Amino acid sequence: MFSAEAAEQTRQPSQQKPPAPPPKPAAAPPQHKATVQQPDGHHAAAAGPFYAQPEFWVAVAFLIVVGFSFRKVTRAIAAALDMRAEKIKAKLDEARSLREEAQALLAEYQRKQRDAMNEAEDI
């Protein structure tokens, strides 16, 4: 079952050749945009129209999404603030009517007290 080579390899382990390293992968595919090597070692994007760069379109899409979201959020906030202002106005109106009612009661009791004092003096 074993070949002669396999048997010889098992008898002489010190003379075995190390396994061959795996083949190196093929070179990575080029990036989608050309770059230019700068003197300081950094890569800069090759000059081209701004609308041909994917970053431009990502920024445009981001601004559109933020714009639509901003409109919806501001409408919701404005509606919530309007409702709160109406509640506050209703509470102020109620407080004003209660104050007027309290002043009327106070005036009535003061008048009754004054009348009672005048009646007590007459007696």
Side-chain angles (χ1 to χ4, degrees), residues 39-120:
D40 61 356
H42 290 80
H43 290 279
F50 67 93
Y51 55 85
Q53 304 297 322
E55 291 84 4
F56 170 76
W57 293 110
V58 169
V60 168
F62 176 76
L63 292 175
I64 289 171
V65 168
V66 167
F68 282 125
S69 299
F70 182 75
R71 288 180 62 195
K72 289 182 180 183
V73 168
T74 54
R75 286 180 188 164
I77 290 173
L81 289 175
D82 289 343
M83 287 176 42
R84 184 171 182 206
E86 289 176 16
K87 288 179 183 178
I88 291 171
K89 185 177 179 183
K91 286 182 180 181
L92 287 174
D93 290 341
E94 182 183 359
R96 189 174 295 117
S97 67
L98 290 173
R99 180 177 176 223
E100 290 171 358
E101 184 181 331
Q103 285 179 342
L105 284 173
L106 177 63
E108 182 183 343
Y109 285 120
Q110 284 176 344
R111 184 177 44 82
K112 285 183 181 181
Q113 183 184 16
R114 193 174 43 244
D115 289 345
M117 292 294 276
N118 287 339
E119 195 175 309

